[in-house]
Amino acid sequence: MKIFNLIAFLLVTGFAAHAQKYELGEVTKEELEQKSHPTDPTASAAILFSKGTTYMDYSTSSGFMIVTEVDTKIKIYNKDGYDWANKIISYYSSDNGDETVDVNKAVTYNLADGKIVKTKLKKEGEFTEQVNKFYKQRKIMMPDVKEGSIVEYRYTVRSPFISLFPEWRFQEPIPVNYSEYTTRIPEYFTYKPNFRGYLAPKVSNSSANKRITYVEKERTGRGTQFSNGQIDYSEKIAIYVMENVPALKDEYYVNNIDNYTSSIEHELAVTQYPGETVKSYSHSWEDLAKTIYNYDDFGGEIKRTGYYEDDLNALLSGADTQEKKIVVIFSYVKNRMNWNSYYGYTCHDGVKQAYKNKTGNVAEINLMLVSMLNYAGLEANPVLVTTRSSKIALFPTRSAFNYVIAAVQVGNEIVLLDATSKSALPNILPVRSLNWNGRLIRKDGSSLEISMFPQSNSKELITIIAAIDEEGKVSGKARDQYFDYNAFIFRESHSNSNLDSYLEKLEKRYDGIEIENYSVTNDDLNKPVVEEFNFVHNNISDIIGDKIYVHPLLFFAETENPFKQEKREYPIDFVYPRQDRYMITLSIPEGYVVESIPESLALGMEQNIGSFKFSIQANEKQIQLIATTEINYSNIPQDYYTVIKDFYQKMVEKQTEKIVLSKKI
C-alpha cells in the first residue's frame, strides 16, 4: 500500500483544546436537594448536561469507523419525569453492516440520611430489542429512581457508515442546562453541518496537528521486511454549545415536533486524499430521485406487468375515459390489496408476489398501482414522501423518504392516489402522508416537487333541532355530515370499532349527553358520512333564580383556546383546510321569554387565513343560530401565531357567551 493511500484509513483522535467543563461523577448534595428547575418550575426533569463527541477511527479489522461518545446527566424532579431515567439508543443492524452500542458508567444517585448513595446499572436493566429488519434498540432502565434522583450514563456508538454523523439534539421536551457537541474531522474529509430548529449554538473552531506512527510490511527475497513511518496531518475541531435551552413544549396543531427541535446533522460532502482527485458526495434532490428510480426494487417493479394483464384487461373493457380508468384501477387495487403496515419506498417481496398474496408493503401496493395506470395508457408516476411520524430531511439522502404514493396526470391536474387505505379517494390520502412536500419521479430521471398540503376545505355540517325545558334539560335530534378528509378520518377511525364503544366515547366527549336511535350512513365513499341520533343533555345549562343560561352552540361550544403559549417557533399545522358549520334551532320552554342573546359577530384573519361568522336571532318561540368556522390553509407559518391565537380567543369568548331565558312575569 502506498503511504498516501494509507492516510485514508489510519486516523487517530487527539484531545480538543476546549477544556472539559462538565464531568460524570460530579454530583453534589445541592443538586440532589433541588426540588424544581430554577427557570422552569413545571419541568418534571432536566438535562443538567449532555456532551457528545464524534470522531473518526480506523482499525485493520473494521476499516474506517465513525465513533460517537455521549455523556449525559439528568435530574428527576417528580414521578412524571421517571421516563427520563431510561434511555433508548437506536442503531442500524443488517447484512450491509452493523453499528454497535456500548453503555458504561450508568449510575443513579440519591440522597439518604444526608449522604449520597450510588446505585449502578444492573444487567437486567440493559437489554436489546429488534425493531425491524434494519434496526435494533439498546435500552437501559436506571435502577432506584426516585423523586430527586440524578442519573448519568455514558454510551459509545461505532458505525461503519461514514456518510452521515448521528444527529445531535441540543433541545428536548425538558430544559437542557448545558449541551455541547464536538466534531473532530481529519483534513481529508469535509462534512457539511445542517442545523434544525430556531435556536443557534455558539460555535468555536480550531485545529490540531496529528501524527500517525505506522508499520509497513514489504516482502523481499530474504523474507518480510518491516519499516516504521510517520504521517502528519491536521484535524479540524468544531465545538457547538448551547446553554439554558428551554424545553420545546408540544402544542396543539403540530405535525412532528422533531422537525423544529434545535439540532445538528453532518453529511459527507467531499473527500480528498493526498495525491488523489477531489471526490464529491453531495447530491441534489433530482440526483437522488433518479438514483432511487433506477433501483430494481423500485423502477424495476413498475416495469413488471405480466402478472396482472389478463385481470386488468377484463376490468378495463368498459372504461372509455381517463377518469373511468382511474376509478376502475384505483378501486381494484384498493379492494384487492391489503397493506401489511410496513412503510418504505422499495419492495420487499416484489409486486408479483404481493399481487398473488393480496398483501404488500406501501411500495408494493402503490408501485403496482402506478404500473397498472401506465399499462392503461395513463401518465402515472411514483411520488416519494416522508410520513408525518418522520422528520423532514435537511439534505438529499436515501433515508430522506420512507413512503411512496402514486400520481396520475389528468389534463393540467396531478391527481394523487394511495391504495393502502380502503377509505382513500383521489386526492384524499391517508393523513400519515400529508407532510410538506413529496417528489414525483419520472422514468426519464426528471423529477418534480409536489406539495402534500391539501388545498380545498373539508366540511363538517351539523344540524340540530332541539328544545329546552323549564328544568334546563335540552333534548332533540342531531345530524352530522362529514365530507372529504372529515369523512376519511371518520371511516378510518370507526370502520372496525364496536358501536357501543363508540357511543360511550361520544357520550364522554359531550359530557352529560344521552344518545338514542343512533344511525350512520357510510356505504358510498363518494358521499359524505351521515350520523343521526336523538339526544338528551342534562348538563348544558344553568338555572339561577328564575333564569336559564345556556350556550348557543350547546355541547359543541369550544370553551378553551388551544393556543396558550406567548409565542411559537414552529408552524401551525391544521392537516387540511376545513369548514365547520353549525345550524341550531332551539325551542324555548313555555312560560319563558328570551331576555338576551349574544350579538352576532363576523371575524376574519389577514391573508384569508380563516374566518368565523356567528349569526343568531330569536322570536317568541325559537332561537336560531348559524355559526361557521373556516381555516383556509393546511399549514400556517408561525409568523401568524399571534393572529391565530387572538382569533381563537375571540371565537371562544363568543361561543361561551350565554343565551338568557327568563320567566314571564
Side-chain angles (χ1 to χ4, degrees):
M1 179 183 291
K2 292 182 179 180
I3 189 170
F4 288 123
N5 289 337
L6 188 62
I7 296 175
F9 303 101
L10 299 178
L11 298 171
V12 297
T13 61
F15 294 96
H18 183 70
Q20 298 287 334
K21 187 176 181 181
Y22 297 92
E23 297 289 346
L24 297 182
E26 300 294 328
V27 175
T28 66
K29 286 185 180 181
E30 289 75 18
E31 289 175 321
L32 289 166
E33 289 172 343
Q34 191 179 70
K35 301 299 183 184
S36 63
H37 192 269
T39 61
D40 187 353
T42 64
S44 61
I47 295 176
L48 302 184
F49 75 80
S50 187
K51 293 176 60 179
T53 301
T54 296
Y55 60 90
M56 302 183 72
D57 195 13
Y58 174 81
S59 69
T60 54
S61 59
S62 302
F64 243 159
M65 303 288 286
I66 289 179
V67 183
T68 300
E69 297 175 349
V70 178
D71 288 357
T72 304
K73 180 179 178 181
I74 301 173
K75 170 72 177 183
I76 309 298
Y77 291 113
N78 56 50
K79 293 179 181 179
D80 292 337
Y82 282 5
D83 285 345
W84 286 95
N86 306 322
K87 179 66 179 177
I88 299 175
I89 308 158
S90 297
Y91 60 101
Y92 193 85
S93 179
S94 75
D95 296 338
N96 295 325
D98 290 334
E99 295 178 329
T100 62
V101 175
D102 293 311
V103 179
N104 51 49
K105 291 191 177 182
V107 179
T108 302
Y109 296 87
N110 286 298
L111 205 57
D113 298 325
K115 295 182 179 180
I116 298 175
V117 178
K118 296 170 56 175
T119 307
K120 293 183 178 180
L121 177 67
K122 300 177 176 62
K123 287 185 179 180
E124 57 268 26
E126 183 179 355
F127 52 96
T128 300
E129 290 182 350
Q130 187 80 41
V131 179
N132 55 40
K133 181 181 177 182
F134 303 106
Y135 281 92
K136 293 181 179 179
Q137 287 181 344
R138 178 67 56 84
K139 290 187 174 182
I140 60 172
M141 302 179 68
M142 299 300 292
D144 199 26
V145 175
K146 306 172 184 178
E147 293 186 356
S149 295
I150 289 177
V151 299
E152 62 179 27
Y153 49 79
R154 171 179 294 162
Y155 66 86
T156 303
V157 180
R158 298 181 66 87
S159 173
F161 309 111
I162 66 169
S163 60
L164 296 174
F165 283 8
E167 178 193 36
W168 181 261
R169 292 167 61 103
F170 298 99
Q171 194 171 26
E172 298 288 355
I174 58 175
V176 179
N177 292 2
Y178 183 84
S179 181
E180 175 185 305
Y181 181 55
T182 302
T183 60
R184 305 157 61 85
I185 303 171
E187 62 181 281
Y188 316 114
F189 300 85
T190 300
Y191 283 84
K192 180 183 177 182
N194 295 279
F195 295 94
R196 191 190 299 273
Y198 299 95
L199 301 176
K202 296 178 181 178
V203 185
S204 59
N205 294 287
S206 61
S207 62
N209 294 322
K210 298 296 172 185
R211 172 171 291 177
I212 300 173
T213 301
Y214 63 93
V215 176
E216 191 170 29
K217 295 190 297 184
E218 183 181 357
R219 292 190 176 184
T220 67
R222 293 178 294 176
T224 302
Q225 299 289 322
F226 295 90
S227 60
N228 294 326
Q230 293 180 339
I231 299 173
D232 293 323
Y233 69 95
S234 175
E235 186 177 60
K236 295 167 286 187
I237 302 169
I239 302 174
Y240 306 88
V241 174
M242 279 195 191
E243 297 185 77
N244 302 317
V245 186
L248 186 65
K249 296 181 180 180
D250 211 344
E251 196 177 0
Y252 285 97
Y253 303 111
V254 180
N255 64 350
N256 186 338
I257 197 69
D258 285 341
N259 282 323
Y260 316 111
T261 301
S262 293
S263 61
I264 186 172
E265 299 174 41
H266 287 75
E267 62 167 324
L268 182 61
V270 172
T271 59
Q272 184 175 21
Y273 307 129
E276 297 186 10
T277 59
V278 174
K279 184 175 182 180
S280 174
Y281 294 85
S282 294
H283 299 285
S284 66
W285 290 106
E286 290 79 9
D287 293 336
L288 174 65
K290 185 175 182 180
T291 298
I292 291 174
Y293 199 99
N294 289 331
Y295 291 164
D296 289 339
D297 50 8
F298 189 89
E301 297 285 358
I302 296 174
K303 297 175 184 177
R304 306 184 72 178
T305 63
Y307 63 95
Y308 63 70
E309 288 182 6
D310 290 342
D311 294 338
L312 200 60
N313 287 336
L315 288 169
L316 291 172
S317 59
D320 54 2
T321 67
Q322 282 189 327
E323 290 76 11
K324 288 180 181 178
K325 289 178 180 180
I326 292 170
V327 170
V328 167
I329 295 171
F330 186 43
S331 297
Y332 177 62
V333 177
K334 273 199 309 176
N335 294 328
R336 178 187 178 92
M337 299 303 298
N338 297 287
W339 180 43
N340 59 16
S341 298
Y342 282 100
Y343 289 0
Y345 58 75
T346 57
C347 297
H348 184 262
D349 296 324
V351 289
K352 182 178 180 180
Q353 189 64 39
Y355 186 79
K356 178 181 177 182
N357 296 339
K358 299 184 179 181
T359 302
N361 68 4
V362 167
E364 284 154 350
I365 292 173
N366 284 330
L367 295 182
M368 179 190 303
L369 175 60
V370 171
S371 179
M372 289 184 181
L373 292 167
N374 285 329
Y375 178 79
L378 299 162
E379 183 184 342
N381 295 289
V383 179
L384 295 169
V385 177
T386 306
T387 58
R388 293 172 68 85
S389 60
S390 298
K391 291 179 297 186
I392 298 297
L394 297 175
F395 48 86
T397 174
R398 286 180 296 178
S399 61
F401 304 105
N402 67 336
Y403 203 87
V404 61
I405 62 172
V408 59
Q409 190 81 34
V410 181
N412 295 324
E413 181 186 3
I414 293 177
V415 178
L416 302 179
L417 306 168
D418 185 344
T420 62
S421 168
K422 308 294 185 186
S423 305
L425 288 166
N427 286 333
I428 302 293
L429 308 172
V431 172
R432 57 181 171 266
S433 65
L434 304 181
N435 197 26
W436 295 88
N437 296 315
R439 183 156 289 275
L440 181 150
I441 323 175
R442 304 182 184 92
K443 61 183 177 181
D444 63 3
S446 63
S447 67
L448 175 69
E449 190 171 78
I450 298 288
S451 172
M452 298 304 298
F453 294 134
Q455 301 300 312
S456 58
N457 282 1
S458 292
K459 298 179 180 179
E460 183 175 358
L461 178 58
I462 299 161
T463 305
I464 293 180
I465 299 175
I468 184 169
D469 66 17
E470 63 274 7
E471 295 179 351
K473 182 173 66 176
V474 179
S475 58
K477 185 169 184 176
R479 189 171 192 262
D480 198 343
Q481 299 178 74
Y482 302 89
F483 297 80
D484 300 325
Y485 271 105
N486 289 320
F488 173 84
I489 291 172
F490 183 95
R491 291 180 173 118
E492 289 287 284
S493 301
H494 306 300
S495 58
N496 298 315
S497 64
N498 176 275
L499 179 58
D500 290 338
S501 175
Y502 172 64
L503 291 180
E504 184 179 334
K505 291 178 182 177
L506 205 59
E507 290 179 341
K508 186 176 181 180
R509 186 198 312 169
Y510 303 131
D511 183 31
I513 199 172
E514 297 175 13
I515 294 175
E516 294 180 343
N517 301 324
Y518 176 87
S519 67
V520 60
T521 304
N522 186 22
D523 298 328
D524 189 342
L525 294 183
N526 294 301
K527 294 181 179 179
V529 174
V530 180
E531 279 187 305
E532 292 182 300
F533 56 85
N534 295 332
F535 69 89
V536 176
H537 207 302
N538 295 296
N539 191 29
I540 203 170
S541 59
D542 298 310
I543 299 178
I544 302 175
D546 61 353
K547 296 182 180 181
I548 300 175
Y549 300 81
V550 61
H551 287 303
L553 262 69
L554 305 179
F555 45 87
F556 291 104
E558 195 161 356
T559 60
E560 187 176 0
N561 189 345
F563 302 105
K564 301 182 185 303
Q565 296 182 17
E566 288 300 315
K567 63 178 182 177
R568 179 158 164 159
E569 294 177 332
Y570 34 87
I572 301 96
D573 180 64
F574 288 101
V575 185
Y576 51 88
R578 57 194 65 201
Q579 182 194 87
D580 299 330
R581 186 176 177 85
Y582 301 88
M583 296 187 294
I584 299 173
T585 300
L586 181 64
S587 298
I588 64 176
E590 288 290 335
Y592 279 79
V593 295
V594 178
E595 180 177 307
S596 65
I597 58 175
E599 292 184 1
S600 295
L601 177 69
L603 293 174
M605 286 186 280
E606 59 187 88
Q607 303 297 321
N608 194 33
I609 292 173
S611 63
F612 174 65
K613 296 177 182 178
F614 182 95
S615 177
I616 188 169
Q617 57 186 5
N619 56 37
E620 292 181 355
K621 294 183 178 181
Q622 288 183 335
I623 299 166
Q624 292 182 318
L625 167 71
I626 298 177
T628 305
T629 304
E630 287 190 351
I631 299 295
N632 296 320
Y633 298 94
S634 303
N635 193 279
I636 299 168
Q638 61 272 23
D639 296 347
Y640 295 97
Y641 177 69
T642 301
V643 172
I644 290 175
K645 181 181 178 181
D646 291 345
F647 171 82
Y648 267 80
Q649 185 60 38
K650 291 175 182 176
M651 186 169 64
V652 166
E653 289 170 357
K654 178 54 63 176
Q655 292 189 22
T656 52
E657 290 181 9
K658 299 288 185 70
I659 296 169
V660 182
L661 308 178
S662 59
K663 279 187 178 180
K664 293 180 181 178
I665 300 174

